[in-house]
Amino acid sequence: MSSSSASDPRQPSSAKPYVPPTVAPQDLPVDYSGFIAIVFGVTGVMFRYKLSSWLAIIFCAQSLANMKNVETDLKQISMAMMFAIMGLVTNYFGPSRPGTAQS
């Protein structure tokens, strides 16, 4: 057993811990789920689509879970969440859309 450890090419004294490289905030990849949340939120408010507002909420949650840069991503997520909630409130509590049947 000592012969195998003597011929071991690894050198534990030269091992260094891994330090991830620092990435500037503008070099981070684009948060597509946050952008999609904003698009769905705006369409939910403008066209009064309930499904679009619910999808905006789901994409907001996904973007919140995968948040990389707190400052910029939080602004984007909060704006998307505002649109999604505004769309849900206007869809469920606002006047009905013209041309839809009342049940």
Side-chain angles (χ1 to χ4, degrees):
M1 199 64 158
S2 65
S3 64
S4 66
S5 64
S7 64
D8 191 5
R10 295 177 291 180
Q11 299 172 352
S13 61
S14 65
K16 295 179 228 160
Y18 174 72
V19 178
T22 56
V23 179
Q26 63 268 18
D27 295 336
L28 286 171
V30 178
D31 182 24
Y32 290 110
S33 58
F35 176 71
I36 292 171
I38 291 174
V39 169
F40 277 131
V42 169
T43 56
V45 170
M46 289 183 65
F47 302 120
R48 301 197 55 181
Y49 293 144
K50 292 178 186 176
L51 179 64
S52 182
S53 296
W54 282 113
L55 285 173
I57 295 280
I58 291 170
F59 278 107
C60 280
Q62 179 183 356
S63 181
L64 190 64
N66 296 326
M67 191 167 29
K68 301 272 192 272
N69 187 5
V70 176
E71 185 178 339
T72 57
D73 286 352
L74 201 58
K75 290 177 187 176
Q76 186 176 6
I77 294 168
S78 63
M79 184 173 69
M81 189 66 81
M82 295 277 198
F83 277 120
I85 291 172
M86 197 176 356
L88 287 174
V89 166
T90 56
N91 279 325
Y92 285 104
F93 299 119
S96 65
R97 279 183 13 195
T100 58
Q102 293 289 327
S103 52

